[in-house]
Amino acid sequence: MTIDGIAALIQDVPDFPKPGVTFKDITPVLARPDAFQAVVDAMVASAPEGIDVVCGMEARGFIFGAPVALALGASFVPVRKSGKLPRDTVESTYDLEYGTQTLAVHTDAIRAGDRVLIVDDVLATGGTVAATADLVHRLGGSLVAVTVLMELAFLAPRERLEWRDVDLITSLITYD
């Protein structure tokens, strides 16, 4: 399965979750084991060496982050919405295209010096990645790279991430 083949499977859903927003539905990619495997393989191939921790954000970042972590021999850290984790957490709030959200991780999820890869399905405004980068830095981790299935470049997310020390961003599919 090629990246073009994967892109052809992603479906636009207009006016979801609210009018004016076009949602990129990845469930057709997940329904095809060859496409899902190709995405995971491409994410693993783009990862720098020596990754200790893979962070995946709720909920679709979990889908790709966990298998990428396994393939890299790294631990997987679920980055959850506020109130979803049972132990002590640190939190970061950010803006979405259509509201605000707060993300949290356990305070012991990342150790000082851990080399961290952030994995998600989409890079849109950059808010989710920025909040996760903030959590990584606050826990003493070293954010090495970000890998996403798709990037909505027309929203200029990379400009929003420059001040977060996010230097290496890999997007398998870019929408201009």
Side-chain angles (χ1 to χ4, degrees):
M1 173 69 60
T2 66
I3 296 298
D4 287 340
I6 293 164
L9 293 172
I10 297 170
Q11 296 182 10
D12 285 348
V13 180
D15 298 322
F16 183 83
K18 72 175 208 169
V21 175
T22 300
F23 184 81
K24 299 286 189 186
D25 183 11
I26 64 165
T27 58
V29 174
L30 303 175
R32 295 266 311 263
D34 60 333
F36 188 10
Q37 185 68 60
V39 170
V40 171
D41 291 346
M43 288 179 163
V44 168
S46 73
E49 291 191 24
I51 296 297
D52 300 306
V53 174
V54 174
C55 289
M57 292 80 90
E58 187 167 349
R60 297 186 304 173
F62 293 179
I63 296 168
F64 296 112
V68 168
L70 284 173
L72 293 174
S75 64
F76 176 71
V77 171
V79 180
R80 303 282 323 259
K81 293 176 184 169
S82 182
K84 299 286 187 176
L85 292 170
R87 295 182 287 111
D88 290 337
T89 62
V90 291
E91 296 187 345
S92 184
T93 300
Y94 65 100
D95 293 323
L96 294 161
E97 291 172 84
Y98 43 85
T100 61
Q101 186 61 259
T102 300
L103 293 179
V105 296
H106 283 129
T107 55
D108 62 354
I110 298 168
R111 295 181 310 245
D114 277 349
R115 292 174 46 84
V116 179
L117 170 67
I118 293 175
V119 173
D120 207 1
D121 66 319
V122 64
L123 179 61
T125 64
T128 307
V129 170
T132 303
D134 179 54
L135 294 169
V136 168
H137 290 140
R138 287 171 55 196
L139 292 175
S142 173
L143 179 55
V144 177
V146 174
T147 301
V148 296
L149 170 57
M150 59 190 151
E151 177 180 347
L152 307 182
F154 58 89
L155 294 174
R158 290 176 187 250
E159 286 89 29
R160 292 181 179 96
L161 294 174
E162 287 175 353
W163 65 278
R164 297 284 184 161
D165 295 325
V166 181
D167 297 324
L168 179 59
I169 300 172
T170 301
S171 304
L172 303 183
I173 300 165
T174 301
Y175 296 96
D176 292 319

